[in-house]
Amino acid sequence: MVRQTGGRRLMRSTAMTAAVIAVGMTAAACGSSSSSEGSSPNQTASTNAVGSQTASTPAQPAEHTTVTFSYLWTGPEAAALEKIINAFNASQTAITVKGVSSPDFQKQLTSMSASKGSFDISDNFGNGVGSWAAKGILEPLDSYIKADNMDVSDFVPAATDQMKYEGQIYSLPIAVHDFELLYNKTEFAAAGIADPPKTTEELATDIAKLTKVDGSGNITQLGLGNPDTGTTLTTLGYAFGGTWDGADGKTPSPQDPGNIAALKFYQDNVVNKYGAAKVQKFTAGWGQYMSAQDPFYTGKVAMVIDGEWQPVNIPKTAPNLQWGVVNIPVPAADSNLAGATQLTASTLFIPKNAQHKQAAFEFMKYLTGQQAMGDFTVALGNLPARTSMLNDPRYASIPQFSTWLQNLSSPNVHALASQPYSSQYSTDLVTDFKSVLDGSK
């Protein structure tokens, strides 16, 4: 999946940043972890009990079973998925999978909350697993995995962490995504920069060299862009050694020193240096993300932190763009952070109220196998969720894809936690990031 484009707003003072992030977001996140459940204390206790249930004892599917796969993908992504569904259906006679493109999260949740579900398997993002598992609407997969002797150790560790809640596995990844630093080679050459930055100190120097201002002080080119506020800043937090979910992976920690250092870096080198109002004025004229008018494609922005779908889109949308990609720079004094990035995952799950759970798991196993996973991720320009596929030759056809692909083996790949508070926490982070970036706080 390709993320939605986010706000392109920017920030103000360091003191204000620290205050808002450390105080405001922590309070919002902690407060929302209970309110987002929408339940009274008694209801919460009941929900938690349901959420810790074990799965039904797996049984072999009946002589012939029809499984409904309701998925969120649309367009070319859906077409690629339908090819895999057809291949599965042709590979055996016990199960027929019927694919239904239904990109409506609320409709998905409504069905899962009913006594009898309308689908047997679906997809979502990894950081939503904990919230839904806590509500008791996801089927735990441990008994199915054990009965099948399925080896889950091959999945990328950061993705596996998102699939679990309270020690149980509730979802399996079909694709993952990480973020690296893309740069415009033409603009680098024009600015006299021989090599892309490896450290945040070099990144700061390059931002200054690549940012252009006219005689009136108006920005005409920005050294470092911001295609998605939440992703850019949380990823920079990891590059500075921060954590957004505490040492235990279960506690919101926006005030972590690494996170604050990342925000200060962006502020000092972009907003304070050129003025929040002028940055906002410049970004207001940006074209649509990943269109021919995308600011990175047109040269209005010289560098961006973005995902592995770009190598597939750029040749189609901006074929003349001369670009490169490197790992996100880290502080020179913290070389142990090399390869730091953020991972997100596209996941598959079985609803608790599904009518054909065992058959759905058989299809899930097929989708997360090397052949189907490779076919799907190559078609979409996404990363495989299995470490054993990092050298799969099928990805060689995607230009410069290896930087994203090989970085999945880094010990510094992190994912936001999948906890009951996570969905609301992500929303709170973005909201407060924007309020700081646009100078309203």
Side-chain angles (χ1 to χ4, degrees):
M1 289 185 180
V2 174
R3 60 185 177 170
Q4 297 295 315
T5 56
R8 292 163 171 159
R9 310 255 190 235
L10 302 166
M11 50 182 140
R12 207 166 55 168
S13 74
T14 302
M16 186 66 74
T17 298
V20 172
I21 299 299
V23 179
M25 290 198 299
T26 300
C30 292
S32 64
S33 69
S34 60
S35 63
S36 64
E37 293 297 320
S39 57
S40 67
N42 288 337
Q43 289 172 321
T44 300
S46 174
T47 297
N48 289 341
V50 173
S52 64
Q53 286 181 351
T54 57
S56 306
T57 302
Q60 292 303 309
E63 184 175 339
H64 187 86
T65 305
T66 298
V67 166
T68 300
F69 179 24
S70 176
Y71 53 81
L72 300 172
W73 288 285
T74 60
E77 297 174 327
L81 194 57
E82 286 295 334
K83 288 183 179 180
I84 296 171
I85 292 172
N86 292 338
F88 173 78
N89 289 339
S91 71
Q92 43 74 55
T93 58
I95 302 168
T96 296
V97 174
K98 178 184 177 183
V100 179
S101 177
S102 181
D104 186 333
F105 283 93
Q106 189 56 49
K107 184 177 180 181
Q108 186 185 53
L109 185 59
T110 298
S111 172
M112 294 165 62
S113 302
S115 59
K116 184 177 180 180
S118 61
F119 58 87
D120 301 296
I121 180 172
S122 189
D123 66 285
N124 210 312
F125 291 104
N127 70 339
V129 171
S131 176
W132 285 7
K135 294 177 185 295
I137 58 177
L138 298 185
E139 176 78 353
L141 301 178
D142 301 81
S143 58
Y144 299 87
I145 292 169
K146 181 178 180 180
D148 194 75
N149 292 316
M150 185 179 186
D151 181 11
V152 296
S153 65
D154 188 34
F155 292 119
V156 176
T160 303
D161 290 343
Q162 281 198 329
M163 306 303 106
K164 297 179 180 178
Y165 176 67
E166 297 296 328
Q168 290 186 293
I169 298 175
Y170 286 90
S171 190
L172 292 178
I174 186 173
V176 296
H177 323 281
D178 68 30
F179 301 89
E180 308 298 342
L181 182 72
L182 288 80
Y183 64 99
N184 185 315
K185 290 184 176 181
T186 302
E187 297 302 331
F188 265 60
I193 304 173
D195 299 301
K198 293 187 174 80
T199 68
T200 51
E201 291 82 359
E202 292 174 349
L203 178 61
T205 298
D206 290 348
I207 291 172
K209 289 181 178 180
L210 292 161
T211 298
K212 300 177 182 179
V213 179
D214 66 17
S216 301
N218 295 312
I219 299 169
T220 59
Q221 178 177 291
L222 198 58
L224 179 63
N226 180 22
D228 183 271
T229 298
T231 300
T232 296
L233 296 180
T234 50
T235 302
L236 278 176
Y238 292 128
F240 277 85
T243 173
W244 296 98
D245 293 283
D248 62 357
K250 299 180 179 181
T251 306
S253 56
Q255 75 280 13
D256 183 274
N259 301 338
I260 300 302
L263 292 171
K264 184 179 185 301
F265 173 88
Y266 195 84
Q267 179 183 47
D268 289 348
N269 292 286
V270 179
V271 182
N272 284 356
K273 195 162 189 173
Y274 303 103
K278 289 182 178 178
V279 172
Q280 286 182 316
K281 179 180 178 181
F282 178 64
T283 59
W286 284 358
Q288 183 179 353
Y289 177 66
M290 291 181 68
S291 73
Q293 288 73 47
D294 183 295
F296 180 66
Y297 298 173
T298 60
K300 290 184 177 180
V301 166
M303 295 182 286
V304 290
I305 292 173
D306 215 338
E308 79 286 344
W309 46 82
Q310 286 286 8
V312 174
N313 192 63
I314 289 174
K316 295 184 295 185
T317 309
N320 296 322
L321 179 65
Q322 299 298 309
W323 65 283
V325 59
V326 292
N327 293 149
I328 296 170
V330 299
D334 297 311
S335 59
N336 59 303
L337 294 174
T341 189
Q342 178 173 187
L343 176 142
T344 62
S346 297
T347 71
L348 301 167
F349 65 88
I350 299 171
K352 190 71 177 177
N353 62 2
Q355 303 302 298
H356 310 102
K357 296 177 183 177
Q358 181 61 41
F361 180 77
E362 293 297 321
F363 179 55
M364 179 185 288
K365 183 174 64 174
Y366 179 88
L367 283 176
T368 57
Q370 289 188 356
Q371 184 61 49
M373 181 181 288
D375 291 344
F376 182 67
T377 52
V378 168
L380 272 60
N382 287 168
L383 300 169
R386 290 183 174 272
T387 58
S388 61
M389 297 177 64
L390 300 187
N391 295 311
D392 192 311
R394 286 177 286 183
Y395 300 103
S397 63
I398 306 176
Q400 305 194 63
F401 199 68
S402 61
T403 300
W404 285 276
L405 188 63
Q406 297 305 319
N407 204 35
L408 289 176
S409 62
S410 168
N412 294 319
V413 175
H414 304 282
L416 295 174
S418 181
Q419 291 291 319
Y421 66 75
S422 295
S423 294
Q424 187 62 47
Y425 181 37
S426 295
T427 300
D428 292 342
L429 282 173
V430 171
T431 298
D432 282 287
F433 282 154
K434 289 180 180 179
S435 68
V436 175
L437 299 177
D438 65 17
S440 63
K441 284 191 179 181

